[in-house]
Amino acid sequence: MAHQTDQSSAQGGGYGRIILYAALALLVIATLFLQPQEAATSIHPMDQFVVTPLFGDSVAWYTPTNVTLWMLIAVAAVFVLLVSSTSGRAVIPSRAQSVAELSYGFVHKMIEDVTGREGLKYFPYVMTLFMFIVVANFLGLLPMAFTLTSHIAVTAVLALAVFLTVTILGFVLNGKEFLGLFWVSAAPLPLRPVLAIIEVISYFVRPVSHSIRLAGNLMAGHAVIKVFAGFAGALGLFGFFPILAITAIYALELLVAFIQAYVFTILTCVYLKDALHPHH
Amino acid sequence: MAQHTEEAQAQGADAATAAGSHGADAAAGHGASAAHGGGEAVGMPQLDVTTFPNQIFWLLVTLVAIYYILSRIALPRIAAVLAERQGTMTNDVAAAEELKLKATEAEAAYEKALAEARSEANRISEETKAEMQAELDEALAKANAQIAERTSESEKRIADIREGAMQSVEEVARDTAQALVSALGWSADDATVNEAVQNRMKGQAR
């Protein structure tokens, strides 16, 4: 493999060869000075998800932990993104203000498209979910960061909050008619009870899929990156292949970070639509 | 795993390092990862129920904080900015419409002025042309009259000259005829010669 790349880059000549030699030299130096301790046991992809207290040893419900730290950073990021950037209130926006306006318009339009104008009452709520998830996802991609949304406890609370809001709102706004959501009046009468059971089951499965989708996607991506990082350490001289793979996966994870926030938010809108218009 | 972590809580030690009943050697070997990751994972840290209250508590705090930031400051502000921009744009569009109307009016006025100026110019040029034509006609007539006068004068003079010449010719002819007759030895009175010359000249002048 190394010979092949050597030859092909030699044909290319110039910069490519110099960069390759420099990279190889760096790798040799790195393997000489930073020898991986026991290669086989150096892969610990799940360590990044451990919740540790910032001070002391035990984790009580109020203990400041790395979760607390990254939650604080997320709040600060949201503040910078949406408040500091718009402090100019410019008619012709700066770049930062454009980002704030784009995210506002993105979620605003999403709610309006899915639920109609009545749904705009719940815009701050949906926007809170979206901003928290998208910021947490992207912050989690920083090296050494703790990924808040990779924890099922976090995403389950988010999904349950949506589930409870939608259910309570559905009954408050529509009363008993909210149960019409499960009674498919378009189907033939004998089928309706069967469909009702399926609908009820799918309704209660919603928060599960809603939360596990988000946490699972992020956890898997981050774990894969760590696994490849472990390979990079174990492979020594050939470590640059896993590094290339990490680069590619990182690009994919950037996409996933946004898409999962989008999916969570649009599903929230879809569920909200059920609460506002329970009739099929 | 839940057992391990409960055990860890009971011992008051770090869950990660105390989970060591089955990972002691692994935990020992990884100071490096502990340095940045914070601890050693046993199974899936996501399923470690002991950390749930902590995560949920801080998550709720965070969500409330973000909700307040958004609903009190960020969203009203962005909405105001967007509304202001929309207003500015509407105003600008209206102003542009007005300006366009004005431009159309100005163009119409310009066209009108141009047409007027053109017709005025036409009128002036027609007038000038007519004036010039009149002057020209007058001058031409005058010149014609002069020419006619000169011509008649000249004709009269030519006629005079011609008459004078005829008389001279007659005299010369008479004298010559007289001389010829006498030279030939004949004699002829003046009256006969005169008559002969006149007859001859009449015949010639015919």
Side-chain angles (χ1 to χ4, degrees), chain B residues 64-121:
Chain B
V64 169
I66 294 179
Y67 183 81
Y68 270 87
I69 289 173
L70 290 188
S71 62
R72 292 290 151 89
I73 314 173
L75 299 184
R77 185 189 283 177
I78 296 174
V81 168
L82 292 179
E84 194 191 338
R85 179 170 314 144
Q86 194 60 45
T88 311
M89 272 159 67
T90 315
N91 283 347
D92 284 0
V93 168
E97 283 291 326
E98 206 172 307
L99 285 178
K100 198 177 162 193
L101 212 68
K102 271 189 188 162
T104 318
E105 270 172 26
E107 200 189 345
Y110 164 76
E111 289 288 343
K112 202 177 150 201
L114 196 67
E116 269 172 18
R118 198 169 277 153
S119 68
E120 180 74 10

Side-chain angles (χ1 to χ4, degrees), chain B residues 3-184:
Chain B
Q3 278 178 353
H4 288 312
T5 45
E6 274 164 30
E7 194 182 339
Q9 284 286 59
Q11 289 171 358
D14 182 353
T17 49
S21 64
H22 76 129
D25 50 349
H30 294 290
S33 61
H36 73 79
E40 185 87 5
V42 180
M44 274 178 70
Q46 279 86 349
L47 298 180
D48 183 357
V49 188
T50 53
T51 65
F52 278 17
N54 184 275
Q55 293 191 54
I56 292 169
F57 169 67
W58 290 113
L59 173 65
L60 293 178
V61 171
T62 304
L63 287 182
V64 169
I66 294 179
Y67 183 81
Y68 270 87
I69 289 173
L70 290 188
S71 62
R72 292 290 151 89
I73 314 173
L75 299 184
R77 185 189 283 177
I78 296 174
V81 168
L82 292 179
E84 194 191 338
R85 179 170 314 144
Q86 194 60 45
T88 311
M89 272 159 67
T90 315
N91 283 347
D92 284 0
V93 168
E97 283 291 326
E98 206 172 307
L99 285 178
K100 198 177 162 193
L101 212 68
K102 271 189 188 162
T104 318
E105 270 172 26
E107 200 189 345
Y110 164 76
E111 289 288 343
K112 202 177 150 201
L114 196 67
E116 269 172 18
R118 198 169 277 153
S119 68
E120 180 74 10
N122 272 343
R123 196 179 58 75
I124 289 171
S125 106
E126 286 296 325
E127 261 174 28
T128 314
K129 209 185 261 175
E131 240 167 60
M132 279 169 72
Q133 190 64 47
E135 264 171 34
L136 193 67
D137 285 350
E138 200 182 327
L140 214 61
K142 210 168 162 187
N144 275 343
Q146 272 177 358
I147 290 167
E149 199 181 329
R150 287 265 182 87
T151 312
S152 64
E153 216 169 87
S154 303
E155 273 173 0
K156 203 166 129 200
R157 266 173 65 191
I158 290 168
D160 281 356
I161 290 167
R162 186 177 278 163
E163 204 164 312
M166 278 302 215
Q167 234 165 355
S168 303
V169 167
E170 203 177 327
E171 261 169 42
V172 170
R174 201 184 303 141
D175 288 353
T176 313
Q178 193 82 40
L180 272 174
V181 167
S182 59
L184 286 173

Side-chain angles (χ1 to χ4, degrees), chain A residues 22-45:
Chain A
L24 285 177
L26 259 178
L27 275 168
V28 170
I29 292 166
T31 41
L32 282 179
F33 286 92
L34 309 166
Q35 279 185 334
Q37 319 125 335
E38 306 137 87
T41 53
S42 65
I43 302 172
H44 290 272

